[in-house]
Amino acid sequence: GVDHVEPDCETKKYFRIDKLWRSKTARTKGINNNPPECDRNNLIYLVDNLLDEVRERYGKPIKVNSGDRSPLLNKAINGSPSSDHVHGLAADLDTGTREGNRKLFNIIIDSGLTFDQLINEKDFSWVHVSLKREINRKMILKLWTNRL
């Protein structure tokens, strides 16, 4: 449950929007990761149109390891410059186990829900999912290593 809600924080069925841009890396490196209004609106769109439904179908809590990232934070973690994270249109999901992440991945595939990209990251260490407001490609990918 949600213990404390900040006045500017919108709480959805399963996710607090402000949690989707919190970053340990940003705090450690002193990077401001507070998103602009358009990214906040995209995060709300992502939760309303995908994440809440995915969580409902999974039936257990899901942690969002990474949602919106400022361009500076994205660069600091070696994220792709074209990442949907920099616009608040993607989330890296973790159930706590590889087995749970594999199940989550398959639930998303089998659900018929719209998504742009669904990525098995490093043998189900986490699951990346993105949703655009326009055309969604329903790409299913695997990423095994970080870019050098």
Side-chain angles (χ1 to χ4, degrees), residues 72-122:
L72 190 58
L73 175 59
N74 193 58
K75 186 175 181 180
I77 64 160
N78 295 318
S80 167
S82 61
S83 173
D84 286 329
H85 284 284
V86 298
H87 303 292
L89 293 169
D92 291 339
L93 308 176
D94 186 9
T95 65
T97 67
R98 287 179 194 265
E99 179 182 310
N101 292 342
R102 181 186 309 270
K103 180 179 177 185
L104 183 68
F105 187 85
N106 289 324
I107 285 170
I108 295 169
I109 290 171
D110 296 339
S111 69
L113 293 169
T114 297
F115 58 85
D116 187 56
Q117 290 186 328
L118 178 64
I119 306 175
N120 162 9
E121 302 260 9
K122 299 182 182 177

Side-chain angles (χ1 to χ4, degrees), residues 132-147:
K132 296 188 186 285
R133 289 181 178 264
E134 303 287 325
I135 297 168
N136 287 285
R137 302 168 288 177
K138 291 199 99 165
M139 295 176 66
I140 300 170
L141 307 166
K142 293 179 185 176
L143 178 68
W144 295 104
T145 59
N146 283 334
R147 287 173 305 283

Side-chain angles (χ1 to χ4, degrees), residues 21-36 68-79 86:
W21 67 76
R22 297 230 173 123
S23 165
K24 183 178 179 182
T25 302
R27 280 192 308 276
T28 302
K29 295 184 177 277
I31 297 170
N32 179 353
N33 199 47
N34 290 327
D68 189 71
R69 296 182 201 144
S70 69
L72 190 58
L73 175 59
N74 193 58
K75 186 175 181 180
I77 64 160
N78 295 318
V86 298

